């Protein structure tokens, strides 16, 4: 037969070449590979022959060019056909490594490495090795960018796989960015000659769908509506009708946000019709679930109607052969929703049955503990991780609800146990997020866990457990940033800082691009490349230090007893505040007792609002001072309930809106105001854990003791009033330090400050600021321009121990639930500066200069920072010489945030003054003797 003859010829040729050890030319190799492919149907025989051939080629000149790469890739492909994925990976890896080793060789086809990594990602996926699959996808994208072929279909497919992965793990902000890039590249691919238009259209449409789904999770309804405009007509026209159901559902969710339930229901019905007409059982199920959840359960508060839709959704399943983990996790979410309905109806036995059915969908026979143990191995294997997090929290909430409904407090132990498990799961989810904004979203989205857990602790009078949840509810991301600072080397910080600065600038360029679509596309491409470069840097750090992220999932928080035995040795008390959706909780720790209290939220909000309205308005405060005293006393009583700690140093860990406790009063007598300032040196902290950080490292040796910045006058474009006298005050303060540097007037520029500030132990800023700007972030002004909070990107570890921000509203900023206020003092803290002194409202210049000068006087006496500020304020009150200056408006705005240890720095030497004094005495003595001599003359 012809096939046998060709096989014999092929084998003879191969045998001859191998036996004579002759090196074939490139064309001969390719001809032999193609001859084998076309004539030999037995893949095992093909592999055997090609392996012999590879043994010869590897010793020849063509062993380092595209010829051998082609041969290795063909062997890998044949193993893939045989479902021997492990061996296939070996040969695709060899082919890729060959290209890498000879990357600059003109005879190598570098572009092929992109396709090789794509196939490697697919092979690892078939082996369920998701970590290696992710690495191969990232390498594929990296190489495509390096070779300027990002519109290659292999790169696009890998990027699309990453988009799906980012959505599954809840990294929604990054998912939006990558999905937009994937859609853009897919459209570029469509326009490439010889490409598959249908494939490009499908990936582009699906990428837009993931983008919109992520935006819905982030509740960015305005952007969703913009993206959906015109999509229905476009998809009908282009043959992408399979996506119509999804678009109708997304439009319905936008209408629900607008409180237009009729339009929402109409869109939901259109979605059902579209999915039913196309036999999309899975999407039909999803839509039924969404109607029950979003429309009836959440919007109409009709759990009975919602239950009908949940049950209907469970009836629509794909055939068993087509079911995947996505089907199972979707069913788990529906069963979780049914359980929540039964909880509302106080049918707790039925609820727990359905909770278990939901866990069975994730893993048969498992519960929350089993899920946590499985997730420790590889949490990224779960689909739509937010479903799993909700399931755990919902089950814990059910036990809490059972206690409220029945009065049975025994079930609270189970609730508390599951809350802890859920918190550990959230820690693992947080560790795999790549984007700060996504991490902030998760902190906000899971806020109810901490509020409900603290409520359970309150019911149990379990102050120790409450302290754990208080700490886990605040500034976790800040502590993670500080951990990153410690683990990264100096070079890594510098490289990362430069990349972040480039990304920030590209994002700003993108916002100001206007209608220039070409420039918009160029900037988006550059931004994607920068982000990918940053990802590569982060991956290299992880590879260098496998324990890099261990701290991010470390749940060994300090205990209440450890805090009492350690931190409270130097302080009279610690007050922690939790600001929840339904209540406010306060936890006061002292050396010998602790007190956990639940505060009515409405009363608390009103008290804080009225208190701050007085403090920020000196005319109102002066005119209605007796009323202010009543409000200050009321708020003090809400927080402490008459159980004030012993006089001394008091730490406050706030939540929600910031306000100074120094101006609270222990009585309502306007003639003898008992301010807390009189008895307490107050400091504020992001968390107790923050205070346990070691900020001093060998890499942070300061170049100087003091840096002072006072622009005095500003660029006319900024339209800011001059701060007359700030330069003179700065000269007074700098006398306490040696060496010192003052940047005054025109020298106080933004770039000069950014270059200098990390080299000085103490920094003093006299300038203007604002807690919000056109960029929707805090800003500090310099002589020439503005410094935004996002500009604070480290390029080295700062030696600074204290920064004093004598400007308006520097302690204020955007509030993120679960993390606190993102202000300038927090921004400097994230750089590794442990302490700041900031202001809560617009301040009087004269009072500010005086209090600041007094503060440095006491600081120079090696006094703790909180005590130095307390004494400065008390001396200001005592020596102001004006009754008006006694008002808290003038002295209460400045607060200490962070660590309060004394600052060690070289003081100006006293010897020059001693020598000068001795010389002066000597001169006086000489003059006196001469005068006596003159008198004795005849």
């Amino acid at each position: 037969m012809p096939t046998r003859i060709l096989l014999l010829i092929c084998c003879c040729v191969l045998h001859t070449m191998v036996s004579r050890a002759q090196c074939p030319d490139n064309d001969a190799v390719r001809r032999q590979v193609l001859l084998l492919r076309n004539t030999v149907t037995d893949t095992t025989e093909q592999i055997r022959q090609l392996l012999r051939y590879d043994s010869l080629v590897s010793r020849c000149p063509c062993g380092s060019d595209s010829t051998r790469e082609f041969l290795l890739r063909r062997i890998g492909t044949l193993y893939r056909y045989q479902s021997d994925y492990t061996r296939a990976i070996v040969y695709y890896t060899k082919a890729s490594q060959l290209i890498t080793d000879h990357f600059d060789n003109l005879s190598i086809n570098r572009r092929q490495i992109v396709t090789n990594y794509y196939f490697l990602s697919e092979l690892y996926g078939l082996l369920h090795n998701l970590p290696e699959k992710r690495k191969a996808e990232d390498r594929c994208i990296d190489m495509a960018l390096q070779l300027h072929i990002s519109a290659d279909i292999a790169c696009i497919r890998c990027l699309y796989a990453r988009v799906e992965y980012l959505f599954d793990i809840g990294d929604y902000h990054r998912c939006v960015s990558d999905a937009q890039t994937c859609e853009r590249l897919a459209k570029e691919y469509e326009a490439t000659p010889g490409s598959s238009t249908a494939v490009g259209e499908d990936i582009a449409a699906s990428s837009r769908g993931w983008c919109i789904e992520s935006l819905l999770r982030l509740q960015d309804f305005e952007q969703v509506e913009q993206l959906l405009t015109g999509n229905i007509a476009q998809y009908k026209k282009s043959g992408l009708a399979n996506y119509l159901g999804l678009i109708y559902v997304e439009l319905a969710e936008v209408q629900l946000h607008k409180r237009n339930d009729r339009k929402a229901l109409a869109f939901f019905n259109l979605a059902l019709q579209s999915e039913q007409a196309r036999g999309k059982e899975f999407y039909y199920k999803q839509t039924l679930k969404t109607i029950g959840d979003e429309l009836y359960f959440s919007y109409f508060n009709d759990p009975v109607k919602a239950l009908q839709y949940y049950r209907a959704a469970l009836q629509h399943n794909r055939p068993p052969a087509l079911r995947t983990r996505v089907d199972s996790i979707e069913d788990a979410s529906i069963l979780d929703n049914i359980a929540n309905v039964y909880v509302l109806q106080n049918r707790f036995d039925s609820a727990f049955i359905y909770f278990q059915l939901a866990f069975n969908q994730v893993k048969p026979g498992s519960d929350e503990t089993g899920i946590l143990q499985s997730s420790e191995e590889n949490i990224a294997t779960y689909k739509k991780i937010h479903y799993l997090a909700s399931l755990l929290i919902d089950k814990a909430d059910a036990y809490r609800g059972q206690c409220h409904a029945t009065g049975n407090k025994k079930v609270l132990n189970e609730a508390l146990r599951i809350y802890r498990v859920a918190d550990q799961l959230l820690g693992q989810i947080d560790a795999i997020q790549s984007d700060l904004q996504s991490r902030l979203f998760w902190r906000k989205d899971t806020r109810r866990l901490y509020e409900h857990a603290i409520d359970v602790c309150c019911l149990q009078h379990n102050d120790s457990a409450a302290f754990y949840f208080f700490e886990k509810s605040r500034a976790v991301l800040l502590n993670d940033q500080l951990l990153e600072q410690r683990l990264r080397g100096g070079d890594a910080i510098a490289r990362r800082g430069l990349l972040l600065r480039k990304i920030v600038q590209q994002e700003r360029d993108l916002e100001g691009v206007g209608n220039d679509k070409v420039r918009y596309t160029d900037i988006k491409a550059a931004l994607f490349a920068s982000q990918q470069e940053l990802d590569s840097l982060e991956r290299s750090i992880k590879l260098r230090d496998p324990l890099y992220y261990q701290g991010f999932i470390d749940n060994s928080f300090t205990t209440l007893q450890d805090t009492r035995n350690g931190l409270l040795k130097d302080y009279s008390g610690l007050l922690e505040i939790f600001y929840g959706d339904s209540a406010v909780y306060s936890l006061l720790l002292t050396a010998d007792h602790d007190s956990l209290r639940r505060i009515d939220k409405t009363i608390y909000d009103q008290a804080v609002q009225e208190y701050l309205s007085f403090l920020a308005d000196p005319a109102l405060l002066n005119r209605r001072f007796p009323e202010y005293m009543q409000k200050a006393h009321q708020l003090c009583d809400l927080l402490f309930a008459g159980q004030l700690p012993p006089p001394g140093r008091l730490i406050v860990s706030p939540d929600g809106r910031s306000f100074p406790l120094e101006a609270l009063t222990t009585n309502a007598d306007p003639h003898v105001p008992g301010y807390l300032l009189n008895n307490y040196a107050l400091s504020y902290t992001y968390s107790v854990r923050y205070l346990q950080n070691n900020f001093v490292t060998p890499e942070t040796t300061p170049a100087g003791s003091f840096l002072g910045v006072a622009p005095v006058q500003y660029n006319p474009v900024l339209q800011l009033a001059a701060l007359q006298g700030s330069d003179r005050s700065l000269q007074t303060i700098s006398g306490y330090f040696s060496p010192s540097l003052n940047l005054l007037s025109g020298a106080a520029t933004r770039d000069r400050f950014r270059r200098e500030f990390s080299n000085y132990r103490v920094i003093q800023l006299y300038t203007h600021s604002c807690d919000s700007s056109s960029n929707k972030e805090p800003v500090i002004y310099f002589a020439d321009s503005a410094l935004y909070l996002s500009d604070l990107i480290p390029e080295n570890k700062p030696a600074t121990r204290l920064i004093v921000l004598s400007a308006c509203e520097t302690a204020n900023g955007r509030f993120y639930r679960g993390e606190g206020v993102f202000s300038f003092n927090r921004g400097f803290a994230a750089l590794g500066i442990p302490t700041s002194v900031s202001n809560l409202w617009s301040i009087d210049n004269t009072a500010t200069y005086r209090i600041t000068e007094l503060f440095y006087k006491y600081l120079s006496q090696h006094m703790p920072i909180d005590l130095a500020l307390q004494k400065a304020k008390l001396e200001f009150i005592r020596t102001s010489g004006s009754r008006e200056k006694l008002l808290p408006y003038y002295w209460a705005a400045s607060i200490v945030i962070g660590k309060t240890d004394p600052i060690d720095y070289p003081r100006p030497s006293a010897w020059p003054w001693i020598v000068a004094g001795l010389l002066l005495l000597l001169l006086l003595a000489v003059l006196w003797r001469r005068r006596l001599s003159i008198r004795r003359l005849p």
Side-chain angles (χ1 to χ4, degrees):
M1 296 177 65
T3 302
R4 290 185 177 180
I5 293 171
L6 288 171
L7 174 60
L8 287 172
I9 294 171
C10 183
C11 291
C12 288
V13 173
L14 288 175
H15 177 72
T16 302
M17 288 180 174
V18 172
S19 62
R20 293 182 181 177
Q22 293 178 351
C23 289
D25 59 37
N26 293 345
D27 290 338
V29 174
R30 290 182 179 273
R31 282 198 303 271
Q32 291 306 318
V33 173
L34 293 174
L35 182 61
L36 275 175
R37 187 187 69 182
N38 296 330
T39 60
V40 181
T41 56
D42 184 355
T43 55
T44 301
E45 179 60 25
Q46 285 192 56
I47 291 171
R48 188 177 70 82
Q49 296 292 345
L50 291 179
L51 287 174
R52 292 180 65 198
Y53 204 29
D54 179 57
S55 178
L56 168 65
V57 170
S58 65
R59 297 191 296 271
C60 296
C62 61
S64 60
D65 63 17
S66 291
T67 303
R68 188 172 181 232
E69 188 277 332
F70 171 68
L71 182 59
L72 292 169
R73 178 164 30 95
R74 178 60 184 167
I75 296 170
T77 301
L78 290 170
Y79 277 126
R80 181 160 58 92
Y81 290 161
Q82 290 185 337
S83 298
D84 190 344
Y85 303 130
T86 302
R87 281 198 176 96
I89 286 171
V90 169
Y91 282 90
Y92 271 108
T93 302
K94 284 183 177 181
S96 300
Q97 190 60 48
L98 182 67
I99 297 174
T100 301
D101 292 342
H102 303 88
F103 204 71
D104 295 328
N105 189 339
L106 295 177
S107 63
I108 204 86
N109 180 9
R110 297 185 296 178
R111 295 170 66 101
Q112 186 59 46
I113 197 170
V114 176
T115 304
N116 288 354
Y117 276 121
Y118 165 69
F119 280 118
L120 279 170
S121 73
E122 292 291 295
L123 290 165
Y124 280 120
L126 291 168
L127 290 174
H128 305 292
N129 188 340
L130 293 186
E132 290 301 323
K133 174 178 169 62
R134 299 276 91 84
K135 288 179 186 177
E137 288 166 356
D138 289 335
R139 288 293 292 150
C140 176
I141 298 167
D142 286 344
M143 295 310 302
L145 284 170
Q146 185 176 339
L147 295 169
H148 306 290
I149 54 170
S150 52
D152 185 281
I153 189 61
C155 171
I156 293 169
R157 290 188 187 279
C158 282
L159 181 56
Y160 181 78
R162 190 167 77 184
V163 167
E164 290 186 300
Y165 164 73
L166 290 169
F167 185 84
D168 283 337
I169 65 169
D171 200 342
Y172 299 118
H173 277 273
R174 184 63 185 277
C175 185
V176 169
S177 175
D178 278 9
Q180 289 173 341
T181 299
C182 194
E183 181 184 5
R184 174 178 60 81
L185 294 176
K187 289 179 178 178
E188 285 184 28
Y189 168 75
E190 283 180 52
T192 304
S195 65
S196 171
T197 303
V199 171
E201 285 182 344
D202 189 66
I203 294 177
S206 193
S207 297
R208 175 168 285 211
W210 287 118
C211 174
I212 293 172
E213 286 296 302
S214 296
L215 289 169
L216 285 171
R217 289 288 300 163
L218 296 169
Q219 299 183 343
D220 190 345
F221 296 101
E222 183 179 346
Q223 192 172 349
V224 168
E225 193 167 22
Q226 291 174 3
L227 290 172
L228 288 173
T229 302
N231 269 14
I232 294 176
Q234 177 189 340
Y235 281 18
K236 284 181 178 178
K237 182 179 178 181
S238 61
L240 294 169
N242 285 337
Y243 292 95
L244 286 176
L246 174 63
I247 292 173
Y248 286 132
V249 170
E250 291 165 346
L251 285 168
E253 294 190 59
V254 170
Q255 293 302 320
L256 279 180
H257 173 69
K258 292 181 170 183
R259 312 300 294 175
N260 193 333
D261 53 274
R262 286 189 176 184
K263 279 191 176 182
L265 185 56
F267 279 126
F268 277 131
N269 287 330
L270 285 172
L272 291 173
Q273 293 170 19
S274 177
E275 288 150 1
Q276 190 173 45
R278 289 165 179 79
K280 301 288 185 181
E281 283 293 312
F282 178 76
Y283 297 111
Y284 192 87
K285 173 199 286 191
Q286 273 192 325
T287 302
L288 288 172
K289 175 206 160 194
T290 304
I291 294 171
D293 193 27
E294 300 288 341
L295 185 63
Y296 290 106
F297 192 89
S298 300
Y299 186 88
F300 284 127
N301 194 24
D302 186 350
V304 175
K305 189 72 172 177
L307 187 59
Q308 295 175 14
Y309 277 89
Y310 297 149
R311 292 196 178 281
L314 287 176
Q315 303 305 311
H316 290 270
N317 289 316
R318 289 191 282 204
L322 298 178
R323 279 181 64 85
T324 64
R325 294 190 71 176
V326 177
D327 295 88
S328 298
I329 197 66
E330 199 68 33
D331 285 347
S333 179
I334 296 168
L335 292 164
D336 178 24
N337 288 347
I338 292 174
N340 288 333
V341 171
Y342 286 132
V343 169
L344 282 178
Q345 296 173 345
N346 292 335
R347 296 168 61 184
F348 296 102
D349 290 341
S350 298
F352 290 119
I353 289 172
Y354 276 91
F355 280 128
Q356 186 55 52
L357 290 173
F359 279 109
N360 290 344
Q361 292 294 321
V362 181
K363 189 175 182 180
S366 68
D367 59 8
E368 58 282 342
T369 305
I371 294 296
L372 181 65
Q373 291 171 346
S374 299
S375 67
E376 287 175 355
E377 299 171 5
N378 192 359
I379 192 173
T381 61
Y382 288 114
K383 307 295 288 184
K384 298 184 179 179
I385 196 68
H386 58 276
Y387 284 172
L388 192 56
S390 295
L391 175 58
L392 266 65
I393 299 171
D394 289 342
K395 185 176 178 182
D397 283 349
Y399 283 111
R400 172 176 168 266
Q402 187 176 16
C403 172
H404 282 292
T406 65
N408 180 11
K409 290 192 175 183
K410 292 181 180 179
V411 299
L412 293 179
N413 290 328
E414 191 66 5
L416 208 57
R417 181 186 69 81
I418 300 174
Y419 282 132
R420 281 185 176 271
V421 172
D423 175 63
Q424 293 175 50
L425 176 66
L426 292 174
Q428 294 177 24
I429 293 172
D430 178 64
I432 60 175
Q433 304 298 306
S434 64
D435 187 276
L436 177 62
Q437 292 299 320
S438 291
R439 299 177 75 190
L440 286 170
F441 167 79
W442 273 97
R443 295 290 293 161
K444 177 188 75 172
D445 197 51
T446 55
R447 179 72 166 174
R448 67 178 173 119
L449 182 156
Y450 301 113
E451 179 172 1
H452 294 175
I454 291 171
D455 181 59
V456 167
C457 295
C458 212
L459 292 169
Q460 286 186 317
H461 305 291
N462 189 343
D463 296 356
S464 179
F467 178 76
Y468 171 86
F469 288 109
F470 266 93
E471 280 295 298
K472 291 305 292 283
S473 73
R474 63 196 63 221
V476 170
L477 301 189
L478 175 58
N479 284 298
D480 288 349
Q481 288 173 301
L482 293 172
L483 175 62
E484 290 176 357
Q485 286 273 355
R486 291 199 300 273
L487 293 175
R488 286 195 182 98
D491 291 341
I493 290 177
R495 288 179 60 201
R496 185 174 182 271
L498 290 172
L499 276 172
L500 285 173
R501 190 159 291 167
K502 183 196 292 187
I503 288 169
V504 167
Q505 187 57 53
Q506 288 168 340
E507 288 173 340
R508 288 184 184 159
D509 292 343
L510 205 60
E511 291 175 359
V513 77
N515 297 321
D516 189 340
K517 292 184 178 180
V518 174
R519 179 164 165 71
Y520 179 87
T521 301
D522 290 343
I523 296 172
K524 283 289 280 187
L527 177 59
F528 177 71
S530 298
Q531 186 63 60
Q532 192 67 19
E533 187 179 353
L534 180 61
D535 290 343
S536 297
L537 175 62
E538 297 287 10
R539 287 196 301 271
S540 68
I541 295 171
K542 293 181 198 177
L543 290 172
R544 189 177 65 232
D545 184 1
L547 301 178
Y548 180 79
Y549 279 105
Q550 181 175 333
F552 296 107
I553 56 175
D554 180 15
N555 290 285
S556 57
F557 269 62
T558 183
T559 65
L560 183 150
Q561 193 58 46
D562 289 339
T563 302
R564 178 175 285 128
N565 294 339
L567 185 66
L568 293 187
K569 284 184 177 179
D570 298 319
Y571 297 87
S572 64
L574 164 70
L575 176 68
E576 297 215 359
I577 301 170
F578 181 92
Y579 185 83
D581 289 332
S582 56
V584 178
Y585 299 87
S586 68
L587 177 63
L588 177 64
L589 307 183
T590 64
D592 53 11
H593 80 281
D594 41 79
S595 173
L596 174 64
R597 298 185 59 249
R598 188 179 194 275
I599 303 170
D600 184 279
K601 188 171 183 289
T602 303
I603 296 174
Y604 177 86
D605 284 343
Q606 184 177 355
V608 171
Q609 175 62 36
E610 292 175 341
Y611 176 67
L612 286 173
S613 66
F614 276 109
L615 285 177
D617 187 342
L620 178 67
L621 185 61
N622 191 36
R623 189 170 63 251
R624 296 163 57 182
F625 189 71
E627 186 179 346
Y628 161 77
M629 289 295 295
Q630 292 178 354
K631 300 300 180 183
H633 179 56
Q634 177 195 10
L635 184 54
C636 183
D637 198 48
L638 281 174
L639 291 172
F640 295 100
Q643 299 181 351
L644 286 163
R649 301 167 68 193
L650 177 62
I651 303 172
V652 180
S653 180
D655 192 24
R657 194 169 183 184
S658 298
F659 57 89
L661 272 73
E662 289 93 325
L664 295 179
T665 60
T666 56
N667 59 53
D669 186 352
H671 303 292
V672 189
Y675 296 119
L676 293 192
L677 176 71
N678 295 330
N679 295 316
Y680 300 99
L682 285 115
S683 62
Y684 301 79
T685 185
Y686 308 101
S687 65
V688 170
R689 194 182 185 193
Y690 175 83
L691 299 178
Q692 296 170 336
N693 280 288
N694 179 21
F695 291 88
V696 180
T697 68
E699 300 175 49
T700 56
T701 304
S705 295
F706 179 82
L707 173 67
V709 181
V712 186
Q713 294 182 335
Y714 300 83
N715 188 327
V717 175
L718 299 175
Q719 297 182 338
L720 296 170
L723 292 179
Q724 303 295 347
S726 59
D727 50 349
R728 292 191 297 274
S729 180
L730 206 54
Q731 296 287 4
T732 301
I733 294 167
S734 61
Y736 293 112
F737 299 87
S738 178
S740 63
L741 171 66
N742 286 334
L743 302 178
L744 305 175
S745 302
T749 63
R750 184 190 70 165
D751 289 341
R752 181 76 186 276
F753 172 76
R754 288 206 304 186
R755 287 198 308 270
E756 298 284 358
F757 83 88
S758 62
N759 298 317
Y760 290 85
R761 199 180 300 267
V762 177
I763 300 170
Q764 170 65 47
L765 277 166
Y766 276 136
T767 185
H768 290 286
S769 70
C770 183
D771 64 351
S772 184
S773 63
S774 57
N775 287 6
K776 298 180 180 178
E777 59 177 324
V779 60
I780 290 178
Y781 295 99
F782 290 84
D784 59 335
S785 57
L787 178 76
Y788 295 95
L789 182 59
S790 57
D791 291 325
L792 287 181
I793 298 171
E795 293 184 20
N796 49 45
K797 292 184 179 181
T800 313
R801 305 272 67 83
L802 168 67
I803 182 164
V804 181
L805 301 165
S806 296
C808 307
E809 302 176 339
T810 45
N812 297 329
R814 185 173 179 181
F815 176 68
Y816 289 91
R817 294 180 62 204
E819 270 303 297
V821 176
F822 273 47
S823 57
F824 259 103
N825 53 274
R826 177 176 169 126
F828 284 115
L831 300 186
I833 300 175
T835 313
S836 64
V837 176
S838 303
N839 293 322
L840 290 168
W841 58 79
S842 300
I843 47 179
D844 176 80
N845 291 344
T846 305
T848 298
Y849 301 153
R850 178 60 180 156
I851 291 175
T852 306
E853 291 163 11
L854 290 170
F855 166 70
Y856 282 105
K857 181 185 81 170
Y858 289 110
L859 192 69
S860 68
Q861 298 172 13
H862 203 71
M863 194 174 288
I865 298 172
D866 53 343
L867 282 172
L869 187 59
Q870 180 201 27
K871 289 189 174 295
K873 290 180 178 181
L874 289 173
E875 183 172 340
F876 172 80
I877 293 171
R878 189 172 62 251
T879 62
S880 64
S882 166
R883 290 183 59 84
E884 182 185 12
K885 300 294 185 185
L886 301 179
L887 295 174
Y889 163 80
Y890 291 95
W891 51 262
S894 300
I895 59 173
V896 177
I897 304 170
K899 303 193 80 167
T900 57
D901 305 327
I903 304 293
D904 291 322
Y905 58 87
R907 272 66 171 174
S909 174
W911 281 110
W913 296 103
I914 294 172
V915 171
L918 292 174
L919 289 174
L920 179 62
L921 289 174
L922 181 61
L923 178 62
L924 290 173
V926 170
L927 291 174
W928 181 256
R929 287 177 62 86
R930 288 186 62 186
R931 186 176 180 184
L932 289 176
S933 300
I934 292 170
R935 286 181 177 179
R936 291 173 184 168
L937 290 173

